[in-house]
Amino acid sequence: IKKIGVLTSGGDAPGMNAALRAVVRTALGKGLEVYGIRDGYLGLHQNRISKLERFDVSNMINRGGTFLGSARFPEFKEKSVREEAIENLKEHGIEALVVVGGDGSYMGAKALTEMGFPCIGLPGTIDNDITGTDYTIGFHSALNTVLDAIDRLRDTCSSHHRISIVEIMGRYCGDLTIQASIGGGAEFTVIPEKEFDEEELISAISNDVEQGKDHGIIAITEHVTDVNALARRIESRTGLETRATILGHTQRGGAPCAFDRVMASQMGAFAVDLLLKGEGGRCVGIQSNKLVHHDIIESIENMSRPFNQELYDLTKTLS
Ligand code: ADP
């Protein structure tokens, strides 16, 4: 193998640049040529592919986002579109592709691998919803951002005797919410893995208010319910002013934290090593503090992320 490509796809995440830098520098150090593809599968299809040199990834380790750009490109689900993309890769002599992205991006990498073009997936998403890894690149950075927001909300909601609902990203994974809830000392935690019973939540809050509690934080994952409507219903039942804050894309930006920089660097280097050993069609993870790799097809089709019940229970114990 002489030439590899690399792209970032789907939702961006802090640490993606650190992963790209590690892929580029490890590959160049081992005598490979590296090609950067702009804006994910969209740029792959549009043939926006250019050679990367060592200095292209200078001053990248500490930058959020992804310097290659990212995009959503649903057309990539069509086989004919992927065939054209593979033609573009072949035209440049690229023999394997490293894809940094979330589960949608992994589907694209799996589809390319099934068509005979070997891909390696690196888990890049703040949502921590990828199988075969304990942590995804960006999760801890986003967690710190969420904690910072909760700390600020706590100051103002305790001063104003107010209830604060904080809507946290994660798609259909409650990891970010659970860990932010523990780290931020939230009173209530609502996550997609557990059925949401609004009446039960409001009764529990009312109960606390009757016992004299005059402020509180509810951490809730996106897509579970309309948080502004929930705030109105809590306010009318408890008589305490209640406000919802949707953290939104602020959670995706910012400099990567130390953990993400180091883990992304390790994963990027590992991906290149795997390709040099002739291992294509893999996805990289970290499990019990060790770098691991799994078959990308097998992992998407048959593996699921274990739910951390103990950590969820701890949110209740400590509230
Ligand atoms: P993320 O990777 O963050 O989960 P998306 O779900 O938007 O983000 O996926 C990113 C991109 O991956 C999509 O825009 C599309 O180009 C590609 N993709 C998603 N699902 C598939 C699929 N089933 N087959 C091929 N490509 C896919």
Side-chain angles (χ1 to χ4, degrees), residues 9-11 41 71-74 76-77 82 101-108 111 124-125 171:
S9 165
Y41 297 124
R72 311 259 185 208
F73 182 52
F76 206 66
K77 289 179 189 161
R82 293 197 303 275
D103 58 354
S105 305
Y106 269 37
M107 294 295 284
T125 166
R171 287 229 257 178

Side-chain angles (χ1 to χ4, degrees), residues 149-168:
I150 292 180
D151 288 350
R152 287 163 196 265
L153 287 167
R154 173 179 295 285
D155 289 348
T156 167
C157 78
S158 66
S159 305
H160 283 267
H161 316 298
R162 189 188 284 153
I163 293 171
S164 206
I165 303 175
V166 191
E167 187 188 281
I168 298 166

Side-chain angles (χ1 to χ4, degrees), residues 39-256:
D39 297 336
Y41 297 124
L42 174 69
L44 182 57
H45 186 244
Q46 295 173 340
N47 207 6
R48 288 192 280 128
I49 302 174
S50 56
K51 202 169 161 191
L52 294 174
E53 302 297 349
R54 204 176 178 287
F55 61 80
D56 288 319
V57 290
S58 302
N59 296 320
M60 282 299 164
I61 187 83
N62 57 336
R63 276 173 54 185
T66 158
F67 84 94
L68 281 179
S70 189
R72 311 259 185 208
F73 182 52
E75 293 82 352
F76 206 66
K77 289 179 189 161
E78 290 163 34
K79 190 158 187 231
S80 59
V81 170
R82 293 197 303 275
E83 276 164 356
E84 284 161 9
I86 291 175
E87 280 312 305
N88 294 338
L89 289 163
K90 287 191 174 154
E91 189 187 297
H92 286 86
I94 299 169
E95 297 151 277
L97 185 64
V98 178
V99 172
V100 190
D103 58 354
S105 305
Y106 269 37
M107 294 295 284
K110 169 182 178 268
L112 289 177
T113 300
E114 284 170 332
M115 291 165 74
F117 198 91
C119 295
I120 299 257
L122 296 187
T125 166
I126 67 166
D127 298 334
N128 215 37
D129 59 351
I130 306 257
T131 56
T133 189
D134 294 342
Y135 297 115
T136 54
I137 297 166
F139 171 72
H140 282 95
S141 304
L143 179 58
N144 285 322
T145 303
V146 175
L147 281 184
D148 186 52
I150 292 180
D151 288 350
R152 287 163 196 265
L153 287 167
R154 173 179 295 285
D155 289 348
T156 167
C157 78
S158 66
S159 305
H160 283 267
H161 316 298
R162 189 188 284 153
I163 293 171
S164 206
I165 303 175
V166 191
E167 187 188 281
I168 298 166
M169 278 186 169
R171 287 229 257 178
Y172 303 102
C173 175
D175 285 19
L176 203 49
T177 305
I178 291 175
Q179 298 207 23
S181 173
I182 294 172
E187 276 74 14
F188 296 96
T189 309
V190 182
I191 53 165
E193 289 88 344
K194 301 283 172 188
E195 202 184 328
F196 177 49
D197 184 336
E198 184 178 294
E199 181 50 38
E200 193 184 320
L201 175 72
I202 299 182
S203 302
I205 298 168
S206 303
N207 207 29
D208 281 2
V209 172
E210 276 161 28
Q211 313 261 312
K213 198 154 174 54
D214 67 356
H215 67 279
I217 291 173
I218 303 162
I220 179 166
T221 315
E222 62 183 341
H223 306 310
V224 172
T225 190
D226 177 338
V227 287
N228 288 305
L230 176 64
R232 286 192 292 275
R233 289 194 284 272
I234 293 174
E235 182 165 318
S236 76
R237 278 276 292 278
T238 62
L240 270 191
E241 192 186 355
T242 306
R243 289 282 179 275
T245 304
I246 298 171
L247 299 180
H249 285 98
T250 58
Q251 297 161 93
R252 292 242 295 261

